[in-house]
Amino acid sequence: MCGAKPVHVDTRHNGFKLTASLIQQHITENTRCIVLPYPSNPTGVTLSKEELEEIASLIKNKDIFILSDEIYSELIFEGSHHSIATIPGMREKTIVINGLSKSHSMTGWRIGFLFAPYEISQHLLKVHQYNVSCAPTISQRAAIQALTVGKDDSIVMRETYKKRMEYVYKRLINMGIETVKPTGAFYFFPSIEKFGMSSFDFALTLVKEAGVALVPGDAFSQYGEGYVRLSYAYSMETLQEALDRMERMIKTLR
């Protein structure tokens, strides 16, 4: 809307991580913002504190700000989530997006948070207040309950997601499907290139033949072609049935 040109970075051969070395290859004098959506949808990959520090070091003296989407921050399977905004010198140039939809399963309540320096947030408000006005009071009160009475609810969810992740990972590997093991969120982004089908055709065949719905990878830019997104935000029984069906269908493709 403001005339900026999005630049997509291919992270397929870097464990789906947008690291400082990849960013450096794409920075120009026109670069103004770097989007860091970690933990990531659709890959489930996150960035370590050291990797974030390398990014901070790269741009600390440049007129570039960070848009850090941390909506899955409470769903980290190993260690703790680190925000690039906590690194010295980065708070002044970071916009953090978060909310309750993932940490407390409140997707329908539409409650989000944005943290940013005042000189940025005052201009964001100009756009926001005429598009959204405000969140409903019911949602606001539910959010207060989530952040007080239910502030530790995400811990139980995280442990449950981790068990599901380990189960799905084992099943995919046993099927001979290559995938990066997630470290957060609740997604896998397995490769289906070996089947010689586009991601759309694979997903369409799977839903028609097996009644299992995955998202074609090309929905996530051209670099997602050859992959599909699998969500494990379901019960273990549903995941087992879905993977059994998927395995039977895959055997017909070989």
Side-chain angles (χ1 to χ4, degrees):
M1 290 176 67
C2 66
K5 178 183 177 182
V7 176
H8 293 157
V9 180
D10 186 355
T11 63
R12 290 174 295 181
H13 306 294
N14 199 41
F16 296 125
K17 293 189 174 190
L18 184 61
T19 54
S21 59
L22 281 180
I23 292 172
Q24 188 169 26
Q25 296 173 29
H26 292 80
I27 285 181
T28 71
E29 60 181 14
N30 295 321
T31 303
R32 290 294 175 266
C33 173
I34 298 169
V35 181
L36 293 180
Y38 291 96
S40 172
N41 173 6
T43 66
V45 170
T46 191
L47 296 180
S48 68
K49 181 180 180 181
E50 292 72 24
E51 288 165 334
L52 291 170
E53 288 174 341
E54 290 176 0
I55 295 174
S57 178
L58 173 66
I59 69 163
K60 65 181 180 181
N61 295 320
K62 301 181 186 298
D63 187 20
I64 298 174
F65 64 91
I66 296 286
L67 182 61
S68 185
D69 181 354
E70 302 178 23
I71 194 71
Y72 294 97
S73 61
E74 300 304 304
L75 302 178
I76 297 286
F77 304 136
E78 303 294 337
S80 302
H81 172 73
H82 298 282
S83 174
I84 195 169
T86 63
I87 298 173
M90 291 304 296
R91 178 171 179 164
E92 298 78 9
K93 56 196 308 177
T94 301
I95 299 171
V96 176
I97 298 172
N98 212 317
L100 295 171
S101 62
K102 310 305 177 183
S103 63
H104 288 76
S105 296
M106 292 177 63
T107 50
W109 296 88
R110 316 314 295 172
I111 289 289
F113 316 132
L114 185 144
F115 308 97
Y118 174 72
E119 59 269 21
I120 295 177
S121 61
Q122 64 175 325
H123 297 297
L124 295 174
L125 181 61
K126 294 176 183 177
V127 177
H128 182 270
Q129 65 183 347
Y130 295 109
N131 281 276
V132 181
S133 185
C134 73
T137 53
I138 293 175
S139 295
Q140 293 183 50
R141 289 188 177 276
I144 292 172
Q145 289 295 303
L147 293 171
T148 53
V149 178
K151 64 183 179 65
D152 294 328
D153 288 356
S154 60
I155 298 175
V156 177
M157 292 174 58
R158 181 173 65 235
E159 292 306 311
T160 301
Y161 281 134
K162 184 177 181 180
K163 292 177 182 177
R164 295 176 186 172
M165 181 274 291
E166 294 288 357
Y167 171 74
V168 175
Y169 180 70
K170 182 178 179 180
R171 289 294 305 271
L172 291 174
I173 295 300
N174 288 341
M175 290 182 209
I177 296 178
E178 297 180 6
T179 186
V180 171
K181 190 174 185 180
T183 52
F186 41 76
Y187 306 104
F188 277 89
F189 204 52
S191 171
I192 49 90
E193 283 186 313
K194 64 186 293 184
F195 301 113
M197 305 170 67
S198 70
S199 61
F200 181 84
D201 288 340
F202 180 90
L204 187 61
T205 301
L206 185 62
V207 77
K208 283 184 175 180
E209 302 296 329
V212 177
L214 302 182
V215 179
D218 63 356
F220 303 96
S221 88
Q222 78 253 32
Y223 297 129
E225 181 54 70
Y227 298 84
V228 288
R229 191 193 72 172
L230 184 160
S231 168
Y232 50 94
Y234 300 90
S235 68
M236 193 65 82
E237 292 76 17
T238 300
L239 290 172
Q240 182 177 347
E241 174 66 23
L243 290 165
D244 287 346
R245 295 185 187 186
M246 184 174 172
E247 186 170 17
R248 288 195 293 270
M249 192 279 280
I250 285 175
K251 288 179 179 178
T252 68
L253 300 177
R254 292 172 176 166

